[in-house]
Amino acid sequence: MLSQSEIDALLKGAIEVDQKDGQESVNLAELINQGGEQRGRAETEGGKKVTAYNFWSPDRFSKEQMRAVELVHEDLTERLTTSLPTFLRTNLRPRLVHTEQGRFHDFLKDFPPNSLFHMINLAPLPSQVVITMSPNISYLILEQRLGGKIEGRYQDRQLTEIDQSLLRGLVEHMLGDIKAAWSKVVSVEPTLEDSTTNQHWVQMIMGNERVMLLTFELNIQGTTGTMSMFIPFNTLKPIANVLNPHIWIAGRKEQQQDYTTREKVLQNMQRVTLPIRVPLGQAELHLREILNLAVGDVIQLDTSIREPLVVEVARRKRFTGRVGRSGRNLAIQISGVIREPADPADEIER
């Protein structure tokens, strides 16, 4: 940027007077170019490093926000180190090795045509995250999942429908770890929207959007490859105010309730089976009386037929009811709820 004194000096030296018309004309483009050249020469002569600022491609996020995203995915690598070996049945340790930001179409040119791109939606955040793996690692994962073993260099070929399905299963296995890694910043529900090898289709979906590229190093059975993750800035924009390393380390102050997970838990609980017992009563007999019992003998219980019976659920008294018949089966009709006395330990905690 030029100072006011430099602008005044440029205007004074660059104004051209048209003697014929008697009017002053200024070429603003030449002024700006001359100002930039003079400024660049001045700072170069002073020993300062000059970096041109590109207004078409600005850095939209600070270093702290970039570092917060790195911390999230460093935590993701630790989780994948535990979960992926159980899925692949072999040792695997991902490592975050590089991060940068730029236009998606610039990064796309570096990937081979047979790369498989997975588009993941981090609801409720907008846009989609794209994940892809280098072909050598993808083929090694396929051989490992199919029970084979790669000997020597892999053969470069197009991925079949079965290959793509198996690789999608790996990414779906990673969604739980992605959700857990982001939980300290924001509550998300990752879902795999699509997987394709068509780079033009991926380019059309992502457009000319600016993204953050995270490169992970994967090492499987002595073979080293990469996994690349593209996070659009539109995805990070709604949470830009919480993308801070201190917030990630301390965790979110307010835990947001995940209604989808809560609904799933309730549905799973409704399918849980519990034992139910309805004791009809008790009686005390001597051992001699028990040994002399015969068919047709009547044992008198300590309960009356008019008294409600106690219904036990998982060995705890929960309801009262009356015995009856439903068709050809015995049944019990619930007539009341038993309120158990509070546990003194619970009262102390309250």
Side-chain angles (χ1 to χ4, degrees), residues 266-283:
L266 290 177
Q267 292 177 0
N268 293 333
M269 290 180 62
Q270 292 176 1
R271 294 195 292 266
V272 175
T273 58
L274 296 175
I276 296 179
R277 295 175 64 251
V278 184
L280 299 178
Q282 296 180 353

Side-chain angles (χ1 to χ4, degrees), residues 140 143 148-155 221 223:
L140 183 57
E143 291 292 333
K149 182 179 180 181
I150 291 183
E151 297 180 356
R153 188 177 181 180
Y154 74 95
Q155 295 180 355
Q221 297 182 3
T223 302

Side-chain angles (χ1 to χ4, degrees), residues 141-195:
I141 291 174
L142 290 174
E143 291 292 333
Q144 185 67 27
R145 291 208 63 190
L146 294 173
K149 182 179 180 181
I150 291 183
E151 297 180 356
R153 188 177 181 180
Y154 74 95
Q155 295 180 355
D156 193 4
R157 59 177 177 81
Q158 292 295 329
L159 294 172
T160 64
E161 291 292 334
I162 297 177
D163 295 337
Q164 296 181 28
S165 177
L166 292 174
L167 292 175
R168 279 196 298 268
L170 173 67
V171 176
E172 289 174 348
H173 180 79
M174 296 167 53
L175 296 181
D177 295 323
I178 294 175
K179 177 181 179 179
W182 276 98
S183 62
K184 290 187 178 181
V185 178
V186 62
S187 177
V188 295
E189 195 65 36
T191 54
L192 180 59
E193 296 294 327
D194 191 15
S195 298

